[in-house]
Amino acid sequence: MASQTRRDYYEILTVERTATAEEIKSAYRKAALKWHPDRNPEKKEAAEAKFREATEAYSVLSDGQKRAAYDRYGHAGVSGMAGGGGMNQTIYEEFQDIFGDFFGFEDVFGRGGGRGGRSRAQRGADLRYDMRLSFEEAAAGVNTKIRLPRQGFCAACNGTGAKAGTGVATCETCKGHGQLHYQQGFFSISRTCPSCQGAGQVIREKCPDCRGRGRVEHTKSIDVRIPPGIDSQTRLRVSGEGEPGSNGGPPGDLYIVVEVKEHPFFERRGADLYCTVPVSISQAALGAEIAVPGLAGDERVSVPEGTQTGTIVRLKAKGLPDPHGGGKGDLYISLRVVTPSKMTREQRKLLQQLGETLTVENRPAERNSSFFDKVKDIFG
Ligand SMILES: [Zn+2]
Ligand SMILES: [Zn+2]
């Protein structure tokens, strides 16, 4: 497992094999400060390799058990113990007081601390889009396109933010390094340059199209399929259509929040529909076939003879489709007997004649009260 080309840990830290723990620690501190990438902006990669090497050596030699294993068996004795980058947590904590937050120790090992102000991959934000649908649209389902404002690269300046032909200049504040170094006692602390946000370059003249931002707003149209029968307050997720991520992070999601307008005639309870339909006293008394407006055109409904107000007729599968694919709801029609008003003299006479013939036998049975209760239950 051990590579023949790996350097000796003592050699890396330039200490004797008999060095004390304190000498090893001091040697590592010197090496870490010397090779920290932030202090070697011109040869960052080479410095980072040296820094990692020193840290690996220290992680083994500072641990009595690992050091003993290394002394006996060499690299093979500690492979898997010190492994590439898995040993940093304790060292980081141990040296945090030395390096401080701004030294960027975490960044060197890609632990994503980000406290030094460096950029790292971030998922884009989720977006919300409110969609108002008519009752009929929600019932039938909709295939539609929605247009969303998006941030994209400015084509005029290729995302640089500089006006065409003017280019960029080296940042005066940081002299192009992107980082500012402060000496604090023995240690150097580096921070992202506020003038160029770490880019090391500034724009001479701003691109007129994007006003120097390098990004422009454009609209993107997204195909959206609203399933039939969708109800208010439903959230539909469109994966990956949120805001773009930064520094190579994934985009967020788009949430479409549906609001369905109320219907003037139908009341909705889940996939079932409820409505009230007036019938005349003759229709109610004699029975009749009437037309009731349904979602898909008129529905024929037979009013039974002797119908009372509150009689409920159920039309199976004439409600709304279940958006989750579970068939259709029912349509409940509550019949309301309408007493005639503004009658002509002849109508009054006919009704009077009828009235004289009515006996107690013509009265509805007691079950009418249960009809009333039933309607109350359903219609609240
Ligand atoms: Zn700068
Ligand atoms: Zn531009």
Side-chain angles (χ1 to χ4, degrees), residues 303-317:
V303 176
E305 196 180 312
T307 286
Q308 307 298 326
T309 285
T311 299
I312 288 162
V313 180
R314 174 180 174 219
L315 299 185
K316 276 200 79 154

Side-chain angles (χ1 to χ4, degrees), residues 34 37 49 55 65 68 73 79 182 186 200 214 223 258 269 289 297:
K34 183 180 176 189
T55 303
Q65 218 183 331
Y73 307 108
S79 69
Y182 302 91
F186 178 64
D223 292 311
V258 175
R269 301 269 170 95
E289 279 265 310

Side-chain angles (χ1 to χ4, degrees), residues 171 173-174 178 193 195-196 200:
C171 174
T173 312
C174 63
C193 171
S195 303
C196 61

